[in-house]
Amino acid sequence: MKFQVELILLALAPVFLLCILWEWRFWRRRGRAGVYDWRDSLCNACLALLHQGADKLAWLLAIPLYGWIYQHHRLFAFDGGWLSFFILFLGQDFLYYWFHRASHRVRWLWAAHSVHHSSTRMNFSTAFRQSLMYPVAGMWAFWLPLAWLGFPPEQVVAVVLLNLAFQFFVHTQAVPKLGWLEYVFNTPSIHRSHHARNPRYLDRNYAGVLVVWDRLFGSYVEELDSDPCEYGTVKPVNSFNPLWVSVAEWRDMLREAWRADNWRDRWTLLLGAPEAVAAIVKKQEP
Ligand SMILES: [Zn+2]
Ligand SMILES: [Zn+2]
């Protein structure tokens, strides 16, 4: 039977659940049971299942497109060995960095990605908090260059999912800074700052697996004890309903765009950066 790469995350589910159980006990023993809230974690788990369903559908449509580009327009022919897998991993992690950066700076993409940031808690279950709207936002388009470079669609999907699987492990407050690893990899400390809404940490640390991209492109920030992370989004969603959490930012975006009194503002509300969007929303307020 052919292994379906789309199921990588489901296959790893027992490992993820064991980590959550370990961390939950870890904080309970230290008198910080509040790191977990069962309503928040249940909402995260529902979001993970909804995301898995939507993603499976998206792959059904995206894989043939990747396949067409791979078959008819590929630039190189990679042999599928370790070196070619390493190049694929590097390429995908680089593209993930730009996907993630765009997801924070372009409203249309933020409408989906904000789901991941909308919890005010930070624990392993936060990694489950994904949007079912990523296929609509167009996440799949960011991996098209990999097929064009010459990587087969199944390998592209596998590396996208392995990157996401790695990121599960950076969603925790139980792991301190990790010495020299902080210079190379995305770590819990680096990703904690990414989830914080303190002005110092806002829109920084977009790394998937390697933090070198943040260091190269000027988006790296260090977590400081003097500025403890406050988790969540600047505009809180205040709900544990997974469906509402999934659509809240889309509703705000479309409503604001509808109300806009000119097309320039309308496009900015759909595709603009957070500062530009906030300026127009302020103008709309009565
Ligand atoms: Zn993010
Ligand atoms: Zn995260």
Side-chain angles (χ1 to χ4, degrees):
M1 196 182 83
K2 191 169 164 284
F3 178 70
Q4 288 186 291
V5 287
E6 307 97 277
L7 300 180
I8 286 175
L9 293 178
L10 274 182
L12 284 168
V15 179
F16 298 153
L17 292 175
L18 277 174
C19 286
I20 289 172
L21 194 64
W22 170 82
E23 193 195 32
W24 174 70
R25 285 176 52 130
F26 175 92
W27 287 121
R28 222 173 49 142
R29 284 191 185 146
R30 279 163 181 76
R32 279 188 63 192
V35 170
Y36 274 88
D37 175 327
W38 70 269
R39 293 166 303 175
D40 174 74
S41 295
L42 187 65
C43 178
N44 296 346
C46 291
L47 285 165
L49 292 175
L50 288 170
H51 170 255
Q52 279 285 315
D55 226 31
K56 183 100 172 107
L57 272 177
W59 290 131
L60 279 178
L61 298 172
I63 288 174
L65 179 59
Y66 296 164
W68 178 76
I69 294 173
Y70 171 72
Q71 276 182 350
H72 301 289
H73 300 285
R74 67 170 178 250
L75 295 179
F76 308 105
F78 290 99
D79 60 3
W82 283 106
L83 182 63
S84 92
F85 186 80
F86 182 69
I87 297 169
L88 173 59
F89 155 74
L90 273 186
Q92 193 272 331
D93 198 53
F94 173 76
L95 292 175
Y96 178 84
Y97 170 84
W98 288 105
F99 158 73
H100 194 187
R101 191 164 171 161
S103 291
H104 280 257
R105 303 298 301 165
V106 177
R107 179 89 180 279
W108 182 268
L109 294 169
W110 173 247
H113 187 61
S114 58
V115 171
H116 181 61
H117 286 273
S118 59
S119 171
T120 54
R121 287 162 210 279
M122 178 61 154
N123 55 55
F124 280 133
S125 82
T126 313
F128 285 176
R129 206 177 168 91
Q130 300 290 342
S131 174
L132 75 110
M133 298 294 275
Y134 277 132
V136 178
M139 187 185 195
W140 51 270
F142 282 80
W143 323 128
L144 288 174
L146 298 170
W148 181 55
L149 273 174
F151 295 104
E154 309 77 52
Q155 286 187 24
V156 172
V157 175
V159 90
V160 166
L161 295 177
L162 288 172
N163 193 314
L164 203 60
F166 170 87
Q167 291 187 52
F168 171 86
F169 300 98
V170 296
H171 290 86
T172 179
Q173 299 180 60
V175 177
K177 281 187 185 160
L178 296 172
W180 65 269
L181 293 175
E182 303 283 329
Y183 290 92
V184 187
F185 294 104
N186 186 13
T187 63
S189 170
I190 286 166
H191 203 62
R192 281 195 291 273
S193 337
H194 177 66
H195 274 259
R197 57 188 163 85
N198 319 34
R200 174 187 162 79
Y201 301 133
L202 216 53
D203 291 354
R204 291 281 184 271
N205 297 353
Y206 299 114
V209 174
L210 298 172
V211 77
V212 289
W213 314 122
D214 281 296
R215 292 185 179 270
L216 268 174
F217 300 114
S219 51
Y220 172 77
V221 73
E222 188 189 356
E223 182 189 32
L224 294 180
D225 290 340
S226 57
D227 197 359
C229 294
E230 288 169 34
Y231 301 108
T233 44
V234 175
K235 186 173 71 177
V237 68
N238 295 327
S239 169
F240 295 116
N241 179 336
L243 288 174
W244 175 243
V245 167
S246 301
V247 298
E249 185 61 19
W250 291 94
R251 186 200 68 154
D252 287 0
M253 177 177 74
L254 295 175
R255 195 166 57 179
E256 287 155 16
W258 180 260
R259 278 189 198 152
D261 43 38
N262 63 68
W263 277 97
R264 196 192 152 91
D265 282 4
R266 194 162 287 138
W267 283 115
T268 305
L269 286 164
L270 292 172
L271 299 169
E275 302 79 20
V277 168
I280 298 173
V281 172
K282 205 168 169 193
K283 218 167 59 178
Q284 286 183 345
E285 278 165 11

